[in-house]
Each structure stands twice: as structure tokens, then as C-alpha cells.
């Protein structure tokens, strides 16, 4: 059946696709960002956001405006929209949307475990979790003391269970192990998501392939760079790389053997797009960090998803773009409130 | 009514508002709704404007109001619309409103917080009581006989719970008791089992009465759980898990006696709390009463205030910062009223210096203002739906008042249907002031209601055309005796009874004296409804009628162009456009109309066999030939026709080249004669105005581009030519295709007549089969079906289709002859939404 999906796509998913495209029109444009960057106070920011699609999402806030309230409200709006999609979705779109939430669930689990390790009360940690990735058993994560217990007691009922096969170990949870666990989870997740999209075939696979490949490769690069100077062995490191990217298999092998940043850059040079990303990075104050460069590339890929019709990629792209928008607004708000105007333009415009 | 023919004169004016009295002046203007304000600071973003602080204050107040309103809604109170029309508050008053509303909100917040905490406390006490009561069933000594059936327990290990057993084992069993949200029960149970590997026994039971969920405010049936476990470590784990699942936990006393004590203590506490809660509720009701009384007025006031500041944000300050300058579009007729409003505004604010209004010149096209009343509004909106008239252009709406219902009625001609439609519209018109009709929220209904006068006229005209077609629910009525005499014919050809019985259809020959006694006084002779060639007769009649009416309608459209050309001082277009257009239309299609009437008058029944065909003649006219088989209509027909065709063709190049060449010549002439003065003159007032009082909005670039006007015009001569070429082609082809388009009148009226006839013969006639009492009973459902189908198909469906075609004939065939429709509406700043009506 794949290949003809455009004929009956609209029967099940037409409404939601129309909706997501409508929502996409509400994403802030560069003109909006220019205006936002001119704001003097957070109140100005709020006033300006009122003229956009956000409307009066901050209107009922009593008390002084803080960045965290803005952030919460931005996320809450995205959450409302996402839940609407999810509640109206048919299979296989429903599974696709679930896949989107899994990455946030992984982040939340890791956040909670790390927090508990540092003896933070759970009530303080929960508000920091991304609302898209919250699930019923989430808060119970803190009672687990090793990954096996975590899996057997808590996560076995959640959709994350499938990704947990590789991380079962009796090691105690310490910072290093948690980080390894996160990356292993992510690896399984990305590979499963990739497989799922391939199974959908048609335009969905076509659109999601580059996005997920890039996501996998980005993780590989970041794992490599972050592992310098830690006790992680090269073999262990290679096990953490997601294998659904463009780098697989030669690039990953090269990355596994890299010893410093320069060598990573050399690996990237073999791949045209990553070369461009690494070339855009600088260390000066006005220049981009590697993270920003990656984000920028991600935005570019996600925007491309809207050029095709009859596929699920738009939902993924919309959530990611909206997340980037939240980051941008929060960044601008931070710069405003800390009077740090020189860096205010370091946001990543979307349209 | 005067302004219905073309839009009113509107001028650009500047308001000089003293900063002290600007607020009250704008308020006064808003109450009257006279002016459209222009934004003088389009480049300034919303938060950089001057009165942003005040706007923010209004928003602050609106936030308070929203809170108050939510509280009211939560308490089930309904807010009534504001009874009178309060004016925008003055600064002091606004401050008072703000203070009072905030005070009320504060009070309300406190009371509801109190109430919420009291309620929460009460809920907890009740839950505790239930936990103890239900827990009893698990932990108390089992009654020796008839022990109550055990509610849902985890497993068959339950006997372990038996306290007698636990005493025997002499190991300490601890309890954790509490309540949990019903949705979470399953996950909780599973997690407990997994995490503690079964070293516990958990029992769940539903609480007997539903209680409120503090998070959502919904009423749900909580689930009570009682977990018994051994060992302190597991206890900690269980507590942790319970925390994660947002359970409310309560201490569970070990001994029976202490449990009973706690329960009686709880009973007392609950009673005390209920009393306090009741008092709090009463106080809350008092506060809410105050809110209900004050809130509607406040809301309207603050809305007005915010609107005023938003308008003031669009004004610019003069150099001395002492007065605000606003630019407005103002109907010239209302200038005195504006001045009056300004005077009142300054008087009210106690300012000594008056605000004033001053006209300024502008090159921009002003907005269109056509005042309507409840009768004309429907017709105007039909025209506006096509395009708002350009400034001061001829407005087709007043003509549509007659032509639209008439053209509709041609397609909808039936006395009965028209009467039903007329009565329906009449009912709406008579009860138009009743609030239930006006405030209906059904959009489809409102569409009908707003077009009630249109429907009224459509119904009335349909009755008229119905009489012409002589149709009432598809049946002919005999108002006057028929002009045909069957008896004469029968006598003349001596038809016997036997002959009549064998021949179902017979011919009435009008050439026999006495059979046809002259035309029927009004409309179509009812005898035609019996004739087998009824349709042939009607088709011929309706087709010709459509063409005649269509050409008259289009000709009228072309003529209306005269008023445009005269008003806009473009007299050359009278000769170079209107004249050739008229010649083209009349020489070809006007002649066709003449032929139709000529043939009707000239040929009678006697010489009908030799009557020539108009169609053939008309085709021959274009081919410059004549057909021997087709007799000429009159002597000298061929030369006349040749002259007409040549005239029509000759008018095409005039139409095509006339205007462009004229404009070209006129531009060249002054250029050679006196090159500079014209442009200088045109530019001068603009530049002068810049200093004295011209549009602040017009920046230097605007002025410069205005000056460049004549040069620019010259360069786009090609554009004018293209435009004219398109217009010419469209007009000439349009005359042919539009004439054909009017044949839809014939088609639709035919369809309507046939459909209603089908409905009669297929449905209603079945009710007349038996003319006895049984038939009378059968008639009831048959008539019901007939009535429903008549309304649904013939009135609603056919009516909508006829409406649509009438709309198209007006928009396309009629309006494209003279109407540009490139204007934009004047939307005055008014507090009342419908200030012009």
C-alpha cells in the first residue's frame, strides 16, 4: 500500500494536517523577532506577543511576570495543541505522535533520576520536566536504585520499556551510568522511530529520514565531544552511537577513534552538510556555538517538511519548530531581564 | 436617500486636540461615531506608543474583571448586559473604578481562598472518616456470624490480614491508609506489587459518596486503600510511591479503641467546620452581589477607555507637545457635528482652549460612505458583496431595489409561491423589533432576517409575474373569461359527440371568425394550460422576453456610465466610450429587440404561415446575405441592416483607440505649450500644506511621487492602451455572451413551472382520485407531502437558485457595464457597533 497513501491520507489525517498547517502559520516570523528584541521589559514582550498568535496567553497572570511563567505558558500552549492532535489522531498517526513524546519521556526520566541522586525533593523536580513527556509512573522513578529495578518496577508498563533492553545492568546509578543510560535509551528510541517511519513508507519516510538521520548524527557528534576527558572507553562510546544516521557505519567508526575536537571536525569534513555546520562555528563572542549551529540546521530541515503534503513529518516538524520558538522567546526574555542586550540576537529565526 | 445614488463626500481633516481635553473629545466623537481615524505612527510598534501605560492599565483592569467574572461563573451567577450606556470614565472616575474593582477582587480572592481551604479541610476530614470506617471492615475482628462480604481485595492471601492471625504470629503489621484518584488505582496497585515484591497486602474500596477533586473541581468517587505490610523499609517505599501517585494518606491508629476515638473527634470537627463554612459562603454571596451590580457598567466603561487610548496612540504630537494632531476621514456633511462634539469635549474637560477641526487637501482616494436604512441595507450589501463602490461612483443599489426582485420574479413567477414568500417576509417585517427575532444566533436565520425587505419585494414581484404567467401552484386561474371560444369552433367544423369522443386533441383555428376574440386582458390566457402546444407557446414567449429584458437591462447599465463620466469630469469618455458602446449594443441587439416587436405587431394569426424567421434574418444580417426562402420583414431591410452592422463594427476601433489617443494628445499639448506651470501648480498646495496643515502622514516621498504623477502617466501610456484593449474586447464579446446569459431567465422560469407542475401531478393529484369520505382522509397526508415538498423544493431550493442567478445577472451582466467597485468602506470610530444605521 505505501506509495499510494496520498489517495486516502485525507480520510483519516486530512483534518489534523490542515490544522497543523494552520498552526504553523502562527509561528513567529523574523519580523516578530526583530520587534521582540527591541523590547525594554518583559511587559513589553508580553504586549508584543499579544499581537501574534499567542494572543492573551499571559493575560490572566497576576503578579510580576517572570521568565519561568512565560516558559511554562509557552509550553502549556504547545501541550494543548499537541494533546488536541493526539486525541484526534487515528493510527498510525497516533503511534507517530506517541513516538514524538518518547524523547521527552526519556529526558524526564533521566532528569528525575539525576535529581534524586543529588538529593533533591521530587516536588521540586517535577515542574522542571517537559510536560510533553509526562506519564503516570514518572514520579515513582525516584525510588529505583539501579537500572534493573527501574525497569522491572516502573518503566515496564510504559512505552519506554521497549528501549530499555540494552541498558539493563546491576550497576549503581551514578552520574556516568545515567548519562550512558540516557544515550542508550536515545539510541534505541531513534532507531525504533526510524524503523517505524521507514515502515510507513511514502512521503513520511522521505521527509522523516533526513530529520532523524541528522538527529542521530548530531547525537553521535555530541557524545563524542562530551566524552573527551572522561573515563568512557572508545568501545563503550561506539556502543552509544545511534546507527540510523548518515555517519553509519564508517563515520561512526572514525568518530569512535577521535581523540580531540579537531579530529571530530575532520570526520565531519567528509560529509558536506556537517562540514558546513562545523564551518559556521566560531569561538568568538558574536559567533555561533556548535549547539546553535546544529539547532539552525535542524530548523532548516524541519521547515522543509512543510513543502510536501500527505505525510506525518509536519507534526514532528511543528513540535520541534515550536520548541525552538519557545527557546528563542525564553532566550530573548532572559537577555531582556538580565540586561544583556549584546547577545539578544543569538536566537534562531524560523521563517 | 440622496447619498444612495453615489457615496457621500468625505474629506481628510486634521483634529487639533489640546492634550488636556483630547481624551474627552475622542470620547465624545466615539459616542457619535462620525470619523475614521488614520494611524499616524504606523512604524511605531505597539509598546513604544505614547499612551501605552494607560492601555496597560486598562488591560490590568480587564484582567481583574475577568477574574471577577470567572468567580461569578463559578458561583453560577449570570452577568446581565449593561442596562444603560455609560460614558467613558474620566481619569478620576477610572481611578475609582480601578480601586474598587481591585478591592473587590482582593476581598473575593481572600474569601474564596478561605472557603477553599475550609472546604479542603472538610474534605480531608470526611475522607479520613471514610478511611477509618471502611478500614474497619478489613481490620476489625471478623464477626463470628454473617460477616459482611469482603470488598475487592488483592488476592486470596487476604486471610493473612486477619488480626487474630496477626496476633498469633506476634509480628507487627503496619498500615498505610489513604485515598487515591480512581484513574490511578491500577497503575498504583501494579507498581506496589512490583516494587515491594508482594510483601504487602493492599485493599481498595470505593468511597460511598463522591467528593470534589481539588485539582479540577470535578466530583469524583475516590478510592480508599489500606495497605498492610511488614518491615520498615518496605513501609518507606510504600510511602514514597503513594506520594508519587498524589495520594492523601492518613494516620491509621492501631487499636480499635483509638480508632473509635478518632472517629468521634472527627465527627465533631466536621460539624464545627460546616458551620464556619456556611458563614463564609454567606459572606461570599454578599461580595458576589456587589460584583454583579457593578461589573457590567465597569466593563463597558473600561472598554471605551481602552478604545480611546488606542485611538490617541494613533495621533501624533505637534512640536510644542501641547496638542495632539489626529487625522481623520470625515463626511463633509458631519463637519459641524464634529466641531460640536469637540466643543462639548473641551467644555466637559474644563479646558479653556478649544479643540478644532480643519480640512486638509489630499491626493488619496477617500473611503466610501453610503448611508443606508433598514430597507436599503439589504440591497446595498448585495452590491458591496461584489465590491465596495469606488469613491463617488454611481451606486447600483437604488436601481437594484427594483431590478433585483423583478429579475428574480421572472424566474420565480408563481402567484402561490410568491404569496407564501411575501407572507413570510411580511411576518419578519412586522415583528422585526421583537427581540427573539433580532437576537437569534442562528447564522442562516440571520441571513434571511437581514434580507427581509428584499424577500418581501421578491415575493410581491413574484405574485405579479405569477399573474402574467397565469400560474398559481402551477394551475391557471380564470380571472377574465378566456378569449378563445371552443363552441364557435365546434359549430364551425360541426364536431359530433362521436367525433369528440374519438379525438382526444383538436385544433382551435384562430382564423375562423369568432374563435379568437382578441388578446386576453392581462397575462396569458388560461386556455393555454389545456393546450398540448402549451410549452411551445410559452418557450417562444419567454425566450423573447428574456432577450428583450436583458438588452434593456444592459442598455440601462451602459447609460448609468453617463453619470460617472459627468461627475468625474471625463466628458471625453462620453463621446469616445459611451457613444460607441451604445451604438454597438443598439445597432446589433437593439435591432434584434426591434425585430421581435415588429414581428409581433406586423404578423397576425392569418398570415402566420408566411411569417419570416427572425433568427435567420439576424444571421443573414451578419453575413450580408439574404435568403430567398425567408421573406423580408419590411421593404429596404437589407440596406438598413448593412448600415447597422457597419455602424457597429465602426464603433469598435473608436472604442479601442479613442480614449488612449485622446489622453496622449492632451498630455502632449500642455507639455509643448507651457511645460512647467501645471506640475508646479499641482505640487504647490501639497508643499505648502506640509508647513501649514497638510497630512502629517504624507512624508516627503509621498509628496515627491505625487509630483512625479504626470511623468509617470506618460510612461504608462502602454498600460492605458492595454487596459482599453481589454475593456473593448470584453465589452464586445460580452454583449453577445451576456445577451445569451439572460436566457437563464427563460430556462429557470421554465424549470420552475415544470417542477411545480410535476409536483402537482405526481403528488397532489393522487389525493383527488376518490371523491368520497375516504378520499378526504387520503387527502390529508397527500396535502402534507405536497406542502412540505412545495416549501422545501420550490420555495427554498428553487428560490435560492433563482436568487443566485439574479445575483449573477446583476453582478456580471449589469454592473460590469459601469461599476468599478474598487473602493473601501469608511469605518468610523464608534462605541456602538451600528452607528450609521
Amino acid at each position: 500500500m505505501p506509495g499510494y497513501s496520498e489517495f486516502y491520507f485525507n480520510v483519516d489525517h486530512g483534518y489534523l494536517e490542515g490544522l497543523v498547517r494552520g498552526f504553523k502559520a502562527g509561528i513567529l516570523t523574523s519580523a516578530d523577532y526583530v520587534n521582540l528584541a527591541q523590547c525594554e521589559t518583559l511587559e513589553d514582550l508580553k504586549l508584543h506577543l499579544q499581537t501574534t498568535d499567542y494572543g492573551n496567553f499571559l493575560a490572566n497572570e497576576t503578579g510580576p511576570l517572570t521568565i519561568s511563567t512565560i516558559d511554562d505558558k509557552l509550553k502549556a500552549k504547545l501541550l494543548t495543541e499537541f494533546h488536541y492532535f493526539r486525541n484526534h489522531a487515528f493510527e498510525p498517526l497516533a503511534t507517530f505522535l506517541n513516538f514524538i513524546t518518547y524523547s521527552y519521556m526519556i529526558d524526564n526520566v533521566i532528569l528525575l533520576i539525576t535529581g534524586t541522586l543529588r538529593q533533591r525533593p521530587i516536588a521540586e523536580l517535577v515542574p522542571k520536566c517537559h510536560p510533553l513527556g509526562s506519564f503516570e509512573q514518572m514520579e515513582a522513578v525516584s525510588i529505583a536504585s539501579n537500572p534493573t529495578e527501574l525497569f522491572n518496577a516502573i518503566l515496564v508498563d510504559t512505552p519506554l520499556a521497549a528501549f530499555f533492553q540494552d541498558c539493563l545492568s546491576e550497576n549503581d546509578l551514578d552520574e556516568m551510568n545515567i548519562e550512558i543510560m540516557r544515550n542508550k535509551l536515545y539510541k534505541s528510541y531513534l532507531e525504533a522511530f526510524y524503523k517505524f517511519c521507514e515502515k510507513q513508507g511514502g512521503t513520511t519516510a522521505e521527509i522523516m529520514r533526513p530529520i532523524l538521520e541528522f538527529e542521530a548524527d548530531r547525537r553521535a557528534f555530541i557524545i563524542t565531544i562530551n566524552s573527551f576527558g572522561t573515563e568512557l572507553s572508545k568501545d563503550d562510546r561506539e556502543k552509544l552511537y545511534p546507527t540510523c544516521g548518515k555517519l553509519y557505519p564508517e563515520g561512526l567508526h572514525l568518530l569512535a577513534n577521535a581523540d580531540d575536537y579537531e579530529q571530530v571536525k575532520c570526520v565531519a569534513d567528509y560529509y558536506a552538510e556537517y562540514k558546513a555546520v562545523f564551518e559556521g562555528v566560531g569561538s568568538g563572542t558574536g559567533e555561533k556555538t556548535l549547539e546553535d549551529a546544529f539547532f539552525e540546521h535542524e530548523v532548516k530541515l524541519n521547515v522543509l517538511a512543510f513543502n510536501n503534503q500527505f505525510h506525518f513529518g509536519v507534526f514532528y516538524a511543528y513540535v520541534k519548530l515550536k520548541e525552538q520558538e519557545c527557546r528563542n522567546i525564553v532566550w530573548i526574555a532572559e537577555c531582556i531581564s538580565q540586561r544583556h542586550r549584546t547577545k539578544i540576537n543569538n536566537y534562531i529565526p524560523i521563517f | 436617500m440622496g447619498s444612495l445614488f453615489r457615496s457621500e463626500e468625505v474629506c481628510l481633516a486634521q483634529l487639533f486636540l489640546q492634550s488636556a481635553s483630547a481624551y474627552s473629545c475622542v470620547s465624545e466623537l466615539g459616542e457619535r461615531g462620525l470619523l475614521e481615524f488614520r494611524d499616524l505612527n504606523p512604524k511605531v510598534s505597539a509598546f513604544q506608543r505614547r499612551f501605552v501605560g494607560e492601555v496597560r492599565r486598562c488591560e490590568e483592569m480587564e484582567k481583574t474583571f475577568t477574574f471577577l467574572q470567572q468567580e461569578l461563573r463559578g458561583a453560577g451567577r449570570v452577568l446581565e448586559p449593561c442596562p444603560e450606556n455609560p460614558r467613558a470614565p474620566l481619569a478620576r472616575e477610572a481611578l475609582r473604578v480601578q480601586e474598587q474593582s481591585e478591592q473587590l477582587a482582593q476581598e473575593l480572592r481572600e474569601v474564596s481562598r478561605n472557603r477553599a481551604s475550609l472546604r479542603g479541610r472538610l474534605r480531608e476530614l470526611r475522607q479520613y472518616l471514610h478511611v477509618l470506617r471502611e478500614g474497619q471492615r478489613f481490620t476489625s475482628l471478623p464477626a463470628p456470624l454473617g460477616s459482611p462480604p469482603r470488598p475487592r481485595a488483592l488476592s486470596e492471601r487476604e486471610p493473612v490480614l486477619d488480626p487474630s492471625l496477626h496476633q498469633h504470629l506476634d509480628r507487627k503489621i503496619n498500615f498505610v491508609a489513604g485515598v487515591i484518584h480512581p484513574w490511578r488505582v491500577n497503575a498504583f496497585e501494579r507498581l506496589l506489587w512490583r516494587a515491594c515484591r508482594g510483601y504487602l497486602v493492599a485493599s481498595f474500596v470505593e468511597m460511598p459518596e463522591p467528593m470534589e477533586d481539588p485539582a479540577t473541581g470535578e466530583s469524583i468517587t475516590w478510592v480508599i486503600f489500606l495497605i498492610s505490610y511488614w518491615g520498615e523499609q518496605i513501609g518507606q517505599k510504600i510511602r514514597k510511591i503513594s506520594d508519587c501517585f498524589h495520594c492523601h494518606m492518613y494516620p491509621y491508629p492501631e487499636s480499635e479503641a483509638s480508632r473509635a476515638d478518632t472517629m468521634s473527634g472527627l465527627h465533631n470537627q466536621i460539624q464545627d467546620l460546616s458551620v464556619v463554612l456556611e458563614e463564609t459562603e454567606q459572606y461570599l454571596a454578599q461580595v458576589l452581589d456587589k460584583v454583579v451590580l457593578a461589573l457590567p457598567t465597569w466593563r463597558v466603561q473600561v472598554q471605551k477607555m481602552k478604545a480611546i487610548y488606542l485611538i490617541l496612540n494613533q495621533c501624533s504630537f505637534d512640536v510644542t507637545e501641547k496638542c495632539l494632531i489626529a487625522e481623520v476621514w470625515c463626511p463633509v456633511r458631519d463637519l459641524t457635528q464634529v466641531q460640536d462634539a469637540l466643543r462639548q469635549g473641551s467644555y466637559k474637560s474644563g479646558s479653556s482652549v478649544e479643540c478644532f477641526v480643519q480640512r486638509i487637501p489630499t491626493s488619496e482616494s477617500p473611503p466610501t460612505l453610503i448611508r443606508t436604512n433598514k430597507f436599503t441595507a439589504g440591497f446595498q450589501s448585495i452590491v458591496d458583496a461584489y465590491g465596495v463602490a469606488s469613491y463617488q461612483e454611481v451606486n447600483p443599489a437604488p436601481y437594484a431595489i427594483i431590478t433585483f426582485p423583478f429579475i428574480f420574479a421572472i424566474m420565480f413567477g408563481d402567484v402561490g409561491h410568491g404569496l407564501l414568500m411575501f407572507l413570510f417576509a411580511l411576518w419578519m417585517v412586522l415583528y422585526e423589533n421583537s427581540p427573539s427575532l433580532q437576537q437569534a444566533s442562528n447564522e442562516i436565520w440571520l441571513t434571511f432576517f437581514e434580507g427581509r425587505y428584499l424577500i418581501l419585494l421578491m415575493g410581491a414581484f413574484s405574485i405579479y409575474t405569477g399573474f402574467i404567467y397565469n400560474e398559481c401552484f402551477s394551475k391557471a386561474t380564470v380571472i377574465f373569461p378566456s378569449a378563445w371560444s371552443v363552441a364557435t369552433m365546434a359549430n364551425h367544423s360541426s364536431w359530433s359527440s362521436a367525433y369528440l369522443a374519438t379525438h382526444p386533441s383538436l385544433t382551435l383555428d384562430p382564423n375562423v371568425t369568432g374563435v379568437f376574440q382578441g388578446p386576453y386582458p392581462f397575462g396569458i390566457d388560461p386556455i393555454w394550460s389545456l393546450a398540448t402546444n402549451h410549452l411551445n407557446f410559452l418557450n417562444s414567449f419567454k425566450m423573447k422576453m428574456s432577450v428583450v429584458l436583458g438588452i434593456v437591462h444592459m442598455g440601462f447599465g451602459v447609460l448609468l456610465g453617463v453619470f460617472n463620466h459627468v461627475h468625474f469630469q471625463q466628458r471625453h469618455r462620453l463621446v469616445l466610450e459611451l457613444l460607441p458602446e451604445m451604438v454597438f449594443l443598439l445597432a446589433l441587439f437593439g435591432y434584434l429587440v426591434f425585430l421581435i416587436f415588429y414581428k409581433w405587431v406586423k404578423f397576425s394569426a392569418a398570415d402566420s404561415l408566411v411569417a419570416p424567421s427572425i433568427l435567420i434574418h439576424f444571421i443573414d444580417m451578419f453575413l450580408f446575405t439574404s435568403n430567398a426562402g425567408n421573406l423580408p420583414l419590411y421593404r429596404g431591410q437589407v440596406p438598413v441592416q448593412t448600415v447597422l452592422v457597419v455602424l457597429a463594427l465602426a464603433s469598435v476601433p473608436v472604442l479601442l483607440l479613442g480614449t488612449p489617443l485622446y489622453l496622449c494628445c492632451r498630455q502632449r499639448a500642455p507639455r509643448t505649450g507651457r511645460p512647467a506651470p501645471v506640475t508646479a501648480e499641482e505640487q504647490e498646495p501639497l508643499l505648502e500644506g506640509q508647513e501649514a496643515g497638510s497630512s502629517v502622514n504624507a512624508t516627503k516621498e509621498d509628496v515627491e511621487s505625487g509630483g512625479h504623477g504626470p511623468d509617470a502617466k506618460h510612461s504608462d501610456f502602454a498600460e492605458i492602451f492595454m487596459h482599453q484593449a481589454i475593456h473593448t474586447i470584453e465589452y464586445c464579446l460580452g454583449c453577445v455572451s451576456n445577451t445569451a446569459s439572460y436566457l437563464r431567465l427563460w430556462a429557470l422560469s421554465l424549470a420552475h413551472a415544470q417542477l411545480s407542475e410535476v409536483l402537482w401531478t405526481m403528488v397532489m393529484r393522487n389525493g383527488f382520485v376518490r371523491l368520497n369520505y375516504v378520499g378526504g382522509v387520503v387527502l390529508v397526508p397527500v396535502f402534507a407531502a405536497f406542502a412540505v415538498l412545495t416549501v422545501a423544493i420550490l420555495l427554498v431550493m428553487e428560490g435560492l437558485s433563482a436568487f443566485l442567478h439574479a445575483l449573477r445577472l446583476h453582478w456580471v451582466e449589469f454592473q460590469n457595464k459601469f461599476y468599478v467597485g474598487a473602493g473601501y468602506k469608511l469605518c468610523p470610530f464608534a462605541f456602538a457597533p451600528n452607528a450609521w444605521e
Side-chain angles (χ1 to χ4, degrees), chain B residues 600-770:
Chain B
W600 274 342
V601 173
K602 178 85 186 296
F603 296 92
S604 67
D607 42 8
S608 67
L609 285 178
V610 293
S613 157
I614 297 179
L615 188 64
I616 305 283
H617 272 304
F618 198 58
I619 292 170
D620 285 346
M621 169 173 159
F622 288 103
L623 300 177
F624 297 108
T625 57
S626 59
N627 198 325
N630 204 20
L631 290 180
L633 283 156
Y634 54 90
R635 268 196 308 142
Q637 186 188 357
V638 175
V640 169
Q641 287 182 350
T642 313
V643 168
L644 283 176
V645 172
V646 168
L647 213 57
L649 292 182
S651 66
V652 175
V654 177
L655 183 60
L656 179 66
L657 301 171
T659 307
L661 289 180
Y662 172 80
L663 287 179
C664 188
C665 293
R666 213 183 60 164
Q667 262 169 29
R668 199 161 299 162
R671 193 163 288 276
T672 49
R674 32 169 203 144
V678 176
T679 43
E681 259 175 29
E682 273 178 19
Q683 222 166 355
E684 226 163 2
L686 274 171
L687 286 172
E688 221 169 52
Q690 187 74 358
E691 290 152 12
S694 90
S695 167
V696 187
N697 209 14
T699 54
K700 214 154 206 170
E701 298 139 46
D702 290 345
V703 177
E704 272 165 17
S705 72
H708 278 300
D711 285 331
K713 253 181 212 160
H714 175 67
S715 65
D716 57 25
F717 167 74
E719 199 175 306
I720 296 175
F721 183 76
M722 280 291 284
H723 187 78
Q724 191 64 26
I726 292 171
H727 175 73
T728 308
I729 295 169
E730 192 186 307
Y731 181 81
C732 296
L733 293 183
C735 275
V736 181
S737 68
N738 291 350
T739 308
S741 186
Y742 274 97
L743 290 178
R744 72 184 68 231
L745 294 176
W746 164 36
L748 265 101
S749 77
L750 183 72
H752 185 81
Q754 290 297 303
L755 208 59
S756 53
E757 199 179 316
V758 164
L759 204 62
W760 180 271
T761 50
M762 305 287 273
V763 181
M764 196 59 185
R765 262 240 314 251
N766 295 335
F768 299 135
V769 179
R770 292 206 203 113

